[in-house]
């Protein structure tokens, strides 16, 4: 829901959700990477998630972080259905793969999906923008699997198709490089 900022305190952002009471959001839920907190002022509109209404007083629990994640999940679901590329960052290593952050949404990237060949070190790929493709989306559990390998294969096959489009049977090719020799040729 849309909420209006009514007060900014040291630890909380107080928002009016057009309910009986105002909601209080911890200041940590506002992104520091996007400088969202610096742009925030009294009267600003923010999207929040109405978590629940609690107690006999009717206090409401709202979350900025959940609203951001739900919005990112819906966007990712749309990209998954259209098979479009997304940009994300590999932020850490877990058992069996890596954690990739796509617009604030944590996704799982299996070790086999980071490159076409197995990589010994992935330090050069940590915290840099990487093109990925969502390969699996589990709505019930909220799990998303992404693959960098799919993007690499897609771009290589496009390059090969472009080269083959210009070649015809019987053409003479200059500047060819011998990659390997075998006993049969």
């Amino acid at each position: 829901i849309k909420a209006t900022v009514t007060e900014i305190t040291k630890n909380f952002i107080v928002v009016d959700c057009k309910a009986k009471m105002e909601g209080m959001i911890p200041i940590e839920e506002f992104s520091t990477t996007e400088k969202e907190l610096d742009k925030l002022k009294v009267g600003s509109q923010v999207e929040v998630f109405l978590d629940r209404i609690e107690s006999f007083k009717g206090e409401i629990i709202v979350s900025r972080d959940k609203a951001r994640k739900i919005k990112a999940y819906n966007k990712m679901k749309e990209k998954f259905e259209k098979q479009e590329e997304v940009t994300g960052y590999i932020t850490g290593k877990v058992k069996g793969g890596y954690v990739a952050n796509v617009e604030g949404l944590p996704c799982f990237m299996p070790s086999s999906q980071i490159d076409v060949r197995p990589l010994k070190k992935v330090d050069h790929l940590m915290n840099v923008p990487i093109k990925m493709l969502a390969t699996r989306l589990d709505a019930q559990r909220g799990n998303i699997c992404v693959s960098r390998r799919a993007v690499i294969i897609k771009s290589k096959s496009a390059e090969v198709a472009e080269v083959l489009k210009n070649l015809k049977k019987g053409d003479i090719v200059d500047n060819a490089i011998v990659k390997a020799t075998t006993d049969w040729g």
Side-chain angles (χ1 to χ4, degrees), residues 25-34 36-37 46-49 63-75 101-105:
I25 305 170
I27 211 154
E28 295 85 33
E29 286 195 23
F30 286 86
S31 169
T32 55
T33 55
E34 300 169 10
E36 185 179 24
L37 200 57
V46 290
E47 283 186 344
V48 295
F49 178 74
S63 172
R64 172 72 179 129
D65 202 35
K66 282 185 181 179
R68 190 183 299 113
K69 284 185 179 175
I70 288 170
K71 191 174 181 180
Y73 183 83
N74 290 337
K75 193 173 180 182
N101 190 326
V102 180
E103 295 181 27
L105 195 65

Side-chain angles (χ1 to χ4, degrees), residues 2-107:
K2 291 270 187 194
T4 308
V5 176
T6 57
E7 187 181 348
I8 300 172
T9 66
K10 185 178 178 184
N11 298 325
F12 293 97
I13 304 292
V14 183
V15 293
D16 178 22
C17 303
K18 307 268 190 285
K20 290 180 182 179
M21 294 195 76
E22 293 180 323
M24 294 179 74
I25 305 170
I27 211 154
E28 295 85 33
E29 286 195 23
F30 286 86
S31 169
T32 55
T33 55
E34 300 169 10
K35 305 273 192 255
E36 185 179 24
L37 200 57
D38 297 341
K39 297 174 189 172
L40 213 57
K41 58 184 179 266
V42 175
S44 298
Q45 291 276 321
V46 290
E47 283 186 344
V48 295
F49 178 74
L50 179 59
D51 210 356
R52 63 186 179 272
I53 297 174
E54 253 184 21
S55 81
F56 64 93
K57 294 179 187 175
E59 292 175 347
I60 58 173
I61 308 295
V62 290
S63 172
R64 172 72 179 129
D65 202 35
K66 282 185 181 179
R68 190 183 299 113
K69 284 185 179 175
I70 288 170
K71 191 174 181 180
Y73 183 83
N74 290 337
K75 193 173 180 182
M76 185 65 123
K77 189 176 178 182
E78 192 178 294
K79 297 272 187 181
F80 172 71
E81 289 166 357
K82 293 179 181 177
Q83 282 297 298
E84 292 179 1
E85 294 177 7
V86 293
T87 304
Y89 300 86
I90 296 175
T91 55
K93 184 165 176 50
V94 292
K95 184 179 178 184
Y98 302 92
V99 175
N101 190 326
V102 180
E103 295 181 27
L105 195 65
C107 303

Side-chain angles (χ1 to χ4, degrees), residues 93-155:
K93 184 165 176 50
V94 292
K95 184 179 178 184
Y98 302 92
V99 175
N101 190 326
V102 180
E103 295 181 27
L105 195 65
C107 303
F108 177 68
M109 181 185 293
S111 296
S112 63
Q113 297 300 312
I114 200 157
D115 208 334
V116 229
R117 295 184 193 96
L119 295 177
K120 297 258 189 243
K121 290 185 178 183
V122 293
D123 296 338
H124 65 286
L125 297 173
M126 298 293 262
N127 298 314
V128 294
I130 297 172
K131 294 277 185 192
M132 302 174 197
L133 204 62
T135 54
R136 193 170 61 226
L137 202 114
D138 185 1
Q140 290 178 328
R141 297 174 75 190
N143 293 345
I144 301 170
C145 285
V146 291
S147 172
R148 177 176 172 254
R149 180 183 182 172
V151 174
I152 293 170
I153 290 172
K154 196 176 179 182
S155 67

Side-chain angles (χ1 to χ4, degrees), residues 153-170:
I153 290 172
K154 196 176 179 182
S155 67
K156 280 189 179 182
S157 61
E159 287 175 14
V160 168
E162 183 66 34
V163 169
L164 290 177
K165 188 169 73 173
N166 297 330
L167 291 177
K168 293 177 195 83
K169 190 173 182 178

